[in-house]
Amino acid sequence: MADQPAAPSLLARIARRTGTPVYVYSAAAIAERYAAFTAAFGGYPHRVHYALKANSTLAVVRLVRALGGGVDANSGGEIDVALRAGCEPRDIVFTGVGKTPAELEQAVGIGVHVINAESLGEIERIDRLARASGRRAAVALRVNPDVAAGTHPHIATGGRTHKFGVPLGAAADTCRRALALDGVRLCGLHVHVGSQLGSSEPIREALGPITALAADLAREGCPLQHLDVGGGLGISYDGSDAPSVTEYARAVIDAVRPTGLRVIAEPGRWIVGPAGTLVASVVDVKDRAGGGRFVVLDAGMSELLRPALYGAFHRLEPLEPGPGTPVACDVVGPICETSDVFGAERLMPVPAVGDFIAIRDAGAYGAVMASNYNRHPLPAEVLIDGDGWRVIRRRQTVDDMVGLES
Ligand SMILES: Cc1ncc(COP(=O)(O)O)c(C=O)c1O
């Protein structure tokens, strides 16, 4: 697996040309990871619907599309991006805990592959919209399995008190009521227990009762076709062993095979996370009270929110390290928030102003969460493809930023 998708020398060359901060993705790493993910399911009937929320830059979506992937869209905006990237409506599953009337109308109108519905109320709204336009919308019910994901609490989604889906105990009845509606065609069940899962155990635990529910519904004559197992497979951010995709796929197949249902999988982070690096420049270096140094970058939580949002760890690598002995450095962003820290007490030769620092494994939940906080323009994005590279999103300008304002 391409754990080191872009060599330091190439990243430095790109950063000198584009300026920093810049996200750099490797098309080869994305392709390799996509291939490994789908291969892990072997001959078992399945389709990968890449979770756009992880990274929906058009060129990345086009690449996944070219590899044969469908997408999991979480908003009307993501549906639009998928269509612009060349996806057909049948390539799109539409998920999301709060779909607006306009988004539902859009999804029903174009006829997405399936809408993952979050409540009976939402199914009834889909039914009304579909009947009003003489259609029948494909719907899967998102079930909340009440499983501890063992991940950061902000990205665990399958607990009893979480806002996602309908409780397991209410799922059968919700399905029966959906079956009575002429505007919807109930074709699947959906579950997603959380993101950055460290093992397949929570998936295995969730799929037990969900497959039992599918079997009960089949006995009642409910024509389910697929089980959407969501995303969630974690990656290694610190260089330790990553959870195995083979083991993950085995857990899914072992659970789903007895039902005979097709699998839909919605991986995001696993496909693009390790394929992306954020490159920043050092803008200041100063002593830190108590020893060590502060290394201040031109990228902060406005470019990569994960450390401030979840205390997430990213490997930090000087691209052209000097010869000095390693010193404990707090690598921080320039934003006026004390939480704007990429890494505390990281041992590295003290960098100089102007040096490049690579923030690794930033391909997922990086650029998509970037903001204009402190009026930072959104960073540039680059795709390394074959022997070349190209800018796939130019850096935002202040004119772009204020262009919507009066
Ligand atoms: C419903 C659903 N599907 C898929 C994903 C993608 O998860 P991941 O990027 O961890 O694979 C998420 C992310 O939270 C999600 O909420």
Side-chain angles (χ1 to χ4, degrees), residues 1 27 34 39 63 79-80 86 93-94 116 124 162 168 170 186 208 232 249 286 292 335 349-350 357-358 381:
M1 198 64 61
Y34 180 90
L63 174 57
I79 291 178
D80 263 334
V93 303
F94 183 29
N116 288 328
E124 289 169 345
H162 295 150
L168 193 54
L186 183 72
K286 59 185 179 183
I335 302 293
V350 178
I357 304 284
E381 293 173 65

Side-chain angles (χ1 to χ4, degrees), residues 312-364:
F313 181 95
H314 284 268
R315 287 176 296 142
L316 306 174
E317 293 173 15
L319 288 181
E320 296 157 316
T325 45
V327 168
C329 294
D330 281 9
V331 182
V332 302
I335 302 293
C336 301
E337 300 277 347
T338 308
S339 59
D340 188 26
V341 176
F342 284 124
E345 300 193 9
R346 300 294 181 89
L347 280 180
M348 58 178 73
V350 178
V353 168
D355 283 3
F356 296 129
I357 304 284
I359 304 168
R360 291 291 190 179
D361 306 309

Side-chain angles (χ1 to χ4, degrees), residues 275-288:
T277 303
L278 173 61
V279 184
S281 296
V282 174
V283 293
D284 196 14
V285 179
K286 59 185 179 183
D287 289 344
R288 178 177 166 278

Side-chain angles (χ1 to χ4, degrees), residues 149-159 161-162 164 193-195 309-310:
T151 185
H152 190 284
H154 293 183
I155 48 175
T157 57
T161 56
H162 295 150
F164 304 95
V193 296
S195 193
L309 187 61
Y310 315 126

Side-chain angles (χ1 to χ4, degrees), residues 41-59:
F41 283 87
Y44 194 84
H46 72 282
R47 182 146 198 227
V48 176
H49 282 258
Y50 163 68
L52 292 175
K53 60 176 73 70
N55 186 321
S56 60
T57 305
L58 270 174

Side-chain angles (χ1 to χ4, degrees), residues 52-53 56 72-82 92-100 102-104 106-107 112:
L52 292 175
K53 60 176 73 70
S56 60
D72 164 37
N74 203 63
S75 68
E78 286 189 352
I79 291 178
D80 263 334
V81 165
I92 301 172
V93 303
F94 183 29
T95 312
V97 77
K99 305 180 190 76
T100 66
E103 288 173 327
L104 285 177
Q106 176 188 20
V112 296

Side-chain angles (χ1 to χ4, degrees), residues 6 51 82 135 153 159 194 199 224 242 245 248 259 272 346 361 406:
R135 295 167 197 268
S199 82
L224 295 184
V245 68
Y248 164 81
T259 66
V272 291
R346 300 294 181 89
D361 306 309
S406 56

